[in-house]
Amino acid sequence: MGIEDFGGGQSQSDVLVVTTNDVPGYRVDKVIGEVFGLTVRSRHVGSQIGAGLKSLIGGELKGLTKTLVETRNQAMERLVEQARARGANAVLMFRFDVTEAADVGTEVCAYGTAVVISQL
């Protein structure tokens, strides 16, 4: 597996997503409000057995790492879809939150503030 299997982030999109409070060279014309993208992924028995065996000898759990990257990317795609649907062209203060979901899976939430920005 190459590095592209373990990367995340935004591909080309009409909605800019940043972790900062502002974007240099742009002004915030309108604050739309909070947007989020949420997904919950269950664990399957094969990955749990593999992870258990791997934990005996140590090392990275590459299968689980790749699954988490895919899950985070899906949550981010849903965030962008929601921002776009509400008329935003940017999301400021973007963050991820990851929690256990009732011992059956992992909940990943991508969230931020949807805004309309324009160049100065």
Side-chain angles (χ1 to χ4, degrees), residues 33-101:
E34 180 190 8
V35 289
F36 66 92
L38 181 68
T39 185
V40 178
R41 293 282 175 102
S42 65
R43 299 180 194 94
H44 60 81
V45 173
S47 70
Q48 290 299 96
I49 292 171
L53 293 173
K54 185 71 172 183
S55 69
L56 294 174
I57 59 172
E60 181 181 7
L61 305 171
K62 290 187 179 183
L64 291 176
T65 300
K66 186 175 179 183
T67 299
L68 184 56
V69 168
E70 291 167 355
T71 303
R72 286 171 60 120
N73 287 343
Q74 182 179 44
M76 186 170 182
E77 288 168 11
R78 290 177 178 175
L79 165 98
V80 169
E81 288 172 15
Q82 188 182 85
R84 184 182 298 117
R86 294 181 63 192
N89 66 355
V91 176
L92 304 180
M93 299 179 288
F94 169 73
R95 303 288 187 267
F96 280 114
D97 186 37
V98 180
T99 59
E100 292 296 313

